[in-house]
Amino acid sequence: MRRASVLAVAFLSLLGPFACSRRAARIDVTPKKLKIYGLDRPQRLTARLLDSKERPLELGTANWESAGPDVATVDSGGLVSPKSQGKTTVTARYDRVSTQIPVEVVDVKSVEVSPANPRLVGPVGTQIPLDAVVKDSKDKPIGLVPVWTSQTPAVATVSPAGIVTSVGKGTTMIVAKVGDVQGASEVAVDTRDIARLELRPQTALVRVGDHQQFAVLAYGADGVLIEGIAAVFLSTDPSVAKVDASGRAHGLGPGASTIRAVLGTTRAEATLIVN
């Protein structure tokens, strides 16, 4: 009887360290923090149970819980579903161990880039600006700045402010991206010299709150009209009128402003009267 007791104690003493080593000491969650762009873009968290020596365990699965289900919920498989803009914490729990993951939801639905299909004509190095409007799930503009990239830098590059610069003849997609939400403009580049620009109409009259579309015409050295080009548009008095990248001027206050179109070193001007 005594011999049996001694053997049992010896067996348990050998088993004890092994049993303890198989207990979960930590939960490793990927990713370590989560930032979700868009209310319709759920993302999954994955969890691994690790022992005290950082070895994976197959003891079970973690339980998930969200501290702010009004911002984001999480299901039993770790799928985080965004509900509204804000920040919360998701907890992965198993037995006595747990790990918290910070979650941020950004309400962004779309990125609208304009003009959508500009034609960039002029010598290499000619520039035009692109506008990007980021909107939320209610289609309201929000003040997020996108990251700009060119899919074909050998045709045209783009600056962090959305300024496109011609490099070589061809077509490229200019992409504006916020998280994984993006918009794009297809830019056609035609590297040739511009001899003259015209801006039409030469004079326009609008009321405060109304708008006027200006069209720029370019002519080559041979005097032939080059159709469908894009240019840089400026208003000399922003308190009277502002003008976007497509040449659409908006009347803001009474007065007169010069609307200027610039393409490389060539420019043209028109007058906008606002009353």
Side-chain angles (χ1 to χ4, degrees):
M1 183 71 177
R2 178 179 176 83
R3 179 179 176 82
S5 299
V6 171
L7 289 174
V9 170
F11 176 76
L12 290 174
S13 65
L14 292 173
L15 181 63
F18 177 77
C20 291
S21 68
R22 306 310 296 164
R23 293 178 182 174
R26 186 172 73 86
I27 303 176
D28 179 43
V29 177
T30 304
K32 307 302 181 188
K33 59 181 179 179
L34 191 58
K35 191 170 186 177
I36 302 177
Y37 291 89
L39 303 186
D40 58 346
R41 290 173 169 82
Q43 295 189 28
R44 188 175 298 279
L45 296 171
T46 59
R48 294 189 308 155
L49 302 179
L50 303 177
D51 65 13
S52 58
K53 296 183 179 180
E54 295 291 296
R55 296 175 298 188
L57 298 174
E58 300 294 338
L59 299 178
T61 57
N63 296 314
W64 300 93
E65 180 182 356
S66 172
D70 56 325
V71 174
T73 60
V74 60
D75 67 11
S76 59
L79 185 66
V80 180
S81 298
K83 300 299 180 181
S84 64
Q85 179 153 318
K87 296 181 180 181
T88 187
T89 301
V90 168
T91 301
R93 194 183 310 276
Y94 180 84
D95 197 12
R96 297 181 180 180
V97 295
S98 63
T99 298
Q100 292 185 330
I101 304 92
V103 175
E104 181 178 359
V105 176
V106 180
D107 183 6
V108 52
K109 180 182 178 182
S110 64
V111 180
E112 298 178 0
V113 181
S114 62
N117 302 99
R119 186 181 179 201
L120 179 52
V121 181
V124 170
T126 301
Q127 296 181 325
I128 59 169
L130 297 180
D131 286 337
V133 178
V134 183
K135 294 185 177 181
D136 63 14
S137 58
K138 297 180 180 178
D139 287 326
K140 293 182 178 180
I142 53 179
L144 294 179
V145 178
V147 176
W148 294 90
T149 57
S150 171
Q151 291 187 351
T152 313
V155 172
T157 60
V158 62
S159 75
I163 305 298
V164 180
T165 303
S166 65
V167 177
K169 190 172 183 177
T171 302
T172 184
M173 295 296 295
I174 304 296
V175 178
K177 193 172 184 180
V178 176
D180 54 358
V181 183
Q182 66 181 39
S185 173
E186 186 178 51
V187 179
V189 176
D190 185 357
T191 53
R192 67 166 85 177
D193 291 332
I194 300 295
R196 180 168 57 92
L197 287 182
E198 290 183 6
L199 199 54
R200 296 182 182 176
Q202 282 290 295
T203 303
L205 176 65
V206 298
R207 294 182 178 180
V208 173
D210 289 344
H211 66 270
Q212 172 67 48
Q213 181 68 51
F214 286 92
V216 60
L217 305 178
Y219 296 87
D222 55 5
V224 176
L225 173 65
I226 305 171
E227 297 182 351
I229 69 163
V232 178
F233 287 93
L234 304 169
S235 171
T236 59
D237 192 340
S239 66
V240 173
K242 66 178 182 179
V243 60
D244 65 19
S246 68
R248 184 182 175 95
H250 302 261
L252 301 179
S257 179
T258 298
I259 305 299
R260 183 174 297 146
V262 180
L263 193 57
T265 58
T266 311
R267 64 178 58 190
E269 295 182 346
T271 300
L272 179 65
I273 301 172
V274 182
N275 60 20

